[in-house]
Amino acid sequence: MMTKGAISAILCAVLLTTGCGGTKSDSGAGSGTPQPSTPRDQLLLSASEFPPGTKPLDIPADKLRSSVTDLGDIMANSTVTPPDCRGPQVDLAALSNDLLSNSAMSAAATENMDIYLEFVSPKTADLNLMMDTNTKCAHLSSISTVDGQQVETKVDMEKLPATLDGVDSVAYKATSTSTLPGSPATTRTAYQGWATLRGLTIAARSAALSGTPDQAAFQKFFAAAVEKVRNSK
């Protein structure tokens, strides 16, 4: 059985395998609609609204945030190729932590450990910067030292076709392969979607412990998360 620590590590890896997006002001300026009056934790999908076959995961938000910070410190001391992508990846860790700092978060998983994660942040991610960075750094590798062992990781980002109408959004498929000395390579695939509306950022992620998560299930999950915020009071 997966431990909470192992689940948390997988979730954090999904959080960090993203494009580098900046944050804008907390106001709803430019969105055309003010922020919802509904509390942020009620803007999250309920357990019954997550993909079929999932059960809620009780992973404390502060545990995820501290893990993001730890992984950011690792990236800051890593060798990244191409070298011009190192700075954006270090910035990404800080910006992800900033987005998460006051976010409402929810997670669920299937019996086979397909994990789904959603968060709603009161800050607005710069999706144009994210897309620009992912175009420049669509394929990168890093070498870092974790617990005295050298880890090499290769990441490939693939932009997915737009699936949401009338909303600033972007979605990616991220494939990462990590290799430890004397061990076979481990490959994980994750889907992630970002949307900004009503002065908020909505993010939806899915990842599998092994194999590839269900892309259609992810797209429905992402769309449902955005629609709940769009239609909330």
Side-chain angles (χ1 to χ4, degrees):
M1 179 180 292
M2 289 283 289
T3 65
K4 284 189 176 182
I7 294 171
S8 178
I10 294 172
L11 291 177
C12 290
V14 175
L15 285 172
L16 284 179
T17 311
T18 65
C20 180
T23 56
K24 300 178 182 178
S25 67
D26 294 354
S27 71
S31 65
T33 307
Q35 285 195 4
S37 58
T38 302
R40 279 199 304 279
D41 61 348
Q42 295 179 27
L43 296 175
L44 296 167
L45 297 175
S46 65
S48 64
E49 294 170 319
F50 267 70
T54 59
K55 293 183 179 180
L57 290 175
D58 183 19
I59 304 295
D62 57 351
K63 175 69 173 178
L64 288 174
R65 293 179 186 122
S66 64
S67 297
V68 169
T69 301
D70 292 343
L71 291 173
D73 292 340
I74 292 171
M75 181 59 72
N77 294 292
S78 298
T79 300
V80 176
T81 304
D84 289 348
C85 290
R86 180 179 176 277
Q89 294 303 309
V90 172
D91 291 342
L92 169 61
L95 293 169
S96 295
N97 196 45
D98 186 38
L99 277 172
L100 288 171
S101 61
N102 291 306
S103 294
M105 306 174 66
S106 185
T110 65
E111 289 185 359
N112 295 327
M113 291 312 298
D114 286 352
I115 298 175
Y116 294 86
L117 172 68
E118 177 196 7
F119 75 79
V120 178
S121 171
K123 298 187 177 183
T124 307
D126 188 338
L127 300 186
N128 287 327
L129 178 59
M130 180 185 295
M131 289 185 283
D132 288 345
T133 301
N134 276 338
T135 297
K136 296 173 184 176
C137 300
H139 310 284
L140 61 85
S141 62
S142 67
I143 298 176
S144 57
T145 301
V146 181
D147 295 332
Q149 290 187 303
Q150 191 175 77
V151 182
E152 181 176 359
T153 301
K154 295 182 179 179
V155 179
D156 295 303
M157 301 290 292
E158 177 187 345
K159 190 168 182 265
L160 300 177
T163 57
L164 303 177
D165 294 326
V167 176
D168 289 334
S169 62
V170 65
Y172 289 95
K173 175 183 178 181
T175 304
S176 61
T177 301
S178 298
T179 305
L180 283 166
S183 301
T186 301
T187 298
R188 287 199 176 97
T189 299
Y191 294 110
Q192 56 206 246
W194 296 79
T196 57
L197 72 159
R198 305 185 69 177
L200 304 171
T201 296
I202 299 91
R205 319 289 177 86
S206 68
L209 181 61
S210 61
T212 301
D214 187 326
Q215 182 174 346
F218 157 74
Q219 290 174 325
K220 291 180 181 178
F221 174 56
F222 182 32
V226 171
E227 284 304 304
K228 186 160 187 175
V229 172
R230 174 153 50 185
N231 297 325
S232 293
K233 296 181 179 180

